[in-house]
Amino acid sequence: MALINTSHPEEFILLGFTDRPWTEKPVFVILLITYPMAMMGNIAIILVSKLDPRLHSPMYFFLTNLSFLDMCYTTSIVPQMLVNLGSSKKTISYMGCTVQLYFFHTMGGTECLLLAAMSLDRYVAICRPLHYTLNMNWRICVLLVSIVWLSGIISAVSDAAVTLQLPLCGLNKLDHLCEISALIKIACGEKSTNELTLFVVCIFILAVPLCLILASYACIGHVMLKIKSSEGRKKAFGTCSSHLIVVLLSYGPGISMYLQPASSITGDQPKFMALFYAVVTPTLNPFIYALRNKDVKGALGNLMRRVFSSK
């Protein structure tokens, strides 16, 4: 294909569900309901983790960061989706697309790495309980979270910067949202280097942390089998099951989207995967932790009683 225009377009057209217009209103209503739910749920988790002294532990420090990430993650996508679904003009400016690109990949990559750090916390708590306060003190927790954020930012910025250099040949139509695989797909010229770069980054962001998580839980499972008390096993399982469910919800769509060449992603897969990891996962995460954790449920109950009694 000859290069028609190597400069960036003024705006991108987001096709979304235009090929299935009958789905736009139901999706708009779903987003309008789930987005406030996701925001309120994650804000509630952050508040109870900060206000309740019983939740001042490394586990809830990591959970607070996860909730903040989910809020930023879904906010980088859903408001733009609502605007496009609610109007006939389905566009986003080049600058808006660039901002969305950076935020989307920064938050997504950081969340994957944070889930690995959370699995390390669970491993130390269950497999090395006598050394927990020493190995997971506040200094180490802050250092871990700082490394996670820095790694997520560096990987996203480097990969996005390389992708934005690709010539688009005048093409400005995206299937769903501004993310790296979508831009690689519409780019012209040689892009195998970009696909390889994306694959390598995804190995670092997805595959390596997932292997660490699986290794941690293999050790945790081995230790849990040795616990003689059923109450002890139940407590250990309760602290891990919520995290495992969140790992499945977060890593599943990411692996299906990014651990394959961008040019091989076809059909409606990106649209529905984008909806899943931008809306479903951030909405469910706070409910998973709240409903499966007695401490969080108790803290939420205390917070609600405090709010209503003050009124």
Side-chain angles (χ1 to χ4, degrees):
M1 184 184 295
L3 294 182
I4 300 170
N5 180 17
T6 57
S7 64
H8 62 75
E10 290 184 4
E11 62 182 16
F12 288 97
I13 299 171
L14 302 177
L15 299 176
F17 299 92
T18 51
D19 56 337
R20 291 181 175 86
W22 57 271
T23 63
E24 291 192 347
K25 285 186 178 179
V27 171
F28 179 83
V29 172
I30 291 170
L31 292 178
L32 203 59
I33 295 171
T34 55
Y35 179 60
M37 286 176 60
M39 297 300 288
M40 288 188 293
N42 284 296
I43 289 171
I45 292 290
I46 293 172
L47 285 176
V48 296
S49 298
K50 293 294 184 183
L51 297 176
D52 197 312
R54 294 175 301 171
L55 304 185
H56 292 175
S57 67
M59 176 181 174
Y60 297 103
F61 173 69
F62 290 123
L63 181 57
T64 300
N65 276 271
L66 180 65
S67 293
F68 178 72
L69 270 170
D70 281 337
M71 289 169 58
C72 296
Y73 198 19
T74 191
T75 300
S76 71
I77 299 168
V78 175
Q80 180 65 42
M81 282 186 171
L82 287 170
V83 170
N84 287 347
L85 289 168
S87 65
S88 57
K89 188 180 180 182
K90 305 181 186 302
T91 60
I92 184 172
S93 67
Y94 179 82
M95 183 56 67
C97 186
T98 302
V99 171
Q100 186 181 77
L101 183 78
Y102 281 116
F103 268 89
F104 175 77
H105 285 279
T106 296
M107 299 306 160
T110 304
E111 181 161 327
C112 290
L113 295 171
L114 181 63
L115 289 171
M118 293 174 75
S119 72
L120 175 64
D121 172 67
R122 292 299 85 208
Y123 165 78
V124 177
I126 295 172
C127 301
R128 301 285 187 271
L130 297 178
H131 300 90
Y132 183 72
T133 53
L134 177 65
N135 293 333
M136 296 303 294
N137 58 58
W138 284 109
R139 183 180 177 183
I140 292 176
C141 290
V142 171
L143 180 62
L144 269 175
V145 168
S146 301
I147 292 172
V148 162
W149 274 96
L150 188 61
S151 300
I153 292 169
I154 290 173
S155 62
V157 169
S158 58
D159 202 10
V162 172
T163 302
L164 290 170
Q165 301 302 312
L166 284 170
L168 299 179
C169 304
L171 300 174
N172 68 336
K173 292 183 179 180
L174 298 175
D175 280 337
H176 54 304
L177 54 89
C178 293
E179 49 98 28
I180 289 174
S181 63
L183 288 175
I184 291 176
K185 186 177 178 181
I186 68 167
C188 54
E190 177 57 40
K191 50 189 176 182
S192 57
T193 303
N194 295 81
E195 290 190 344
L196 179 61
T197 303
L198 177 61
F199 184 76
V200 171
V201 169
C202 289
I203 290 292
F204 169 71
I205 292 295
L206 287 169
V208 173
L210 183 58
C211 289
L212 292 174
I213 291 170
L214 294 176
S216 297
Y217 276 102
C219 296
I220 290 170
H222 181 69
V223 170
M224 285 174 63
L225 290 174
K226 294 181 178 180
I227 299 175
K228 295 180 180 179
S229 165
S230 59
E231 187 65 29
R233 282 197 301 270
K234 185 178 178 181
K235 185 177 180 181
F237 179 77
T239 61
C240 297
S241 58
S242 300
H243 180 253
L244 272 175
I245 294 170
V246 172
V247 167
L248 291 173
L249 290 174
S250 300
Y251 276 87
I255 289 172
S256 68
M257 276 289 293
Y258 292 108
L259 290 184
Q260 58 178 314
S263 57
S264 68
I265 300 173
T266 57
D268 291 331
Q269 179 189 356
K271 300 173 189 177
F272 291 107
M273 287 298 101
L275 278 176
F276 191 88
Y277 52 63
V279 181
V280 177
T281 302
T283 304
L284 291 179
N285 283 357
F287 292 99
I288 291 169
Y289 276 101
L291 294 176
R292 299 183 64 87
N293 188 300
K294 281 195 263 186
D295 291 337
V296 175
K297 281 194 286 187
L300 281 171
N302 291 336
L303 179 63
M304 295 300 293
R305 283 191 291 273
R306 198 180 307 173
V307 169
F308 285 112
S309 63
S310 64
K311 289 182 179 180

